[in-house]
Amino acid sequence: MAITIDIIVQLLRNLACVLKSLLPTDHIFNILPFQEVILSSNPLFSKVNQSSYIEIFIAITQFHGFYGNTTGGLSNISSGYNKLIKLYDVKQLVEKAIISNNK
C-alpha cells in the first residue's frame, strides 16, 4: 500500500486528537488564538472564538477527509452510472438481436 496524502492527513488528525486529550490546558496548543478578535459579535464565528490551535487543526484535517471522501464517492457514483448506461445499451442490443433471430 502506497502512502498517500490522505493517509498522512489521517495520521496527523489522529495525533492531534490524542495530543488534545493528553496535553495540559495551559499548553501553547490549547491557547485560544481568536479570543480577543472582534469576531465575537458575529454569531457565525462564535465557535471559532472558542477554538484552540489544536482544535482548528483538527477541524481543517476533518474537512480534508470530508472533501476527499465526498469527491471520491461522487466519482464512484458517476462511473457506476456510466457503466450502468453502457450495460443497458448492451442489453437493448442483445434483446434486438434475439428478437431478429427469432423472426
Side-chain angles (χ1 to χ4, degrees), residues 60-100:
I60 291 168
T61 55
Q62 285 286 91
F63 181 75
H64 178 273
F66 162 77
Y67 177 77
N69 288 330
T70 302
T71 55
L74 291 175
S75 173
N76 285 340
I77 289 171
S78 175
S79 69
Y81 179 75
N82 290 336
K83 288 177 185 177
L84 179 66
I85 295 299
K86 288 177 185 177
L87 285 174
Y88 183 73
D89 292 341
V90 169
K91 177 187 167 230
Q92 286 182 334
L93 289 174
V94 169
E95 286 176 348
K96 286 179 183 178
I98 291 172
I99 290 172
S100 66

Side-chain angles (χ1 to χ4, degrees), residues 12-31:
L12 289 174
R13 186 192 69 222
N14 290 341
L15 175 66
C17 290
V18 169
L19 284 176
K20 181 181 175 218
S21 300
L22 296 178
L23 290 175
T25 56
D26 60 344
H27 194 273
I28 191 166
F29 288 141
N30 287 327
I31 294 173

Side-chain angles (χ1 to χ4, degrees), residues 13 16 51 53-65:
R13 186 192 69 222
S51 300
Y53 287 116
I54 200 159
E55 290 170 334
I56 292 169
F57 179 76
I58 292 169
I60 291 168
T61 55
Q62 285 286 91
F63 181 75
H64 178 273

Side-chain angles (χ1 to χ4, degrees), residues 34-47 49:
F34 300 109
Q35 195 170 18
E36 300 298 323
V37 181
I38 303 173
L39 298 175
S40 60
S41 62
N42 188 339
L44 180 66
F45 295 110
S46 64
K47 291 293 182 190
N49 288 341

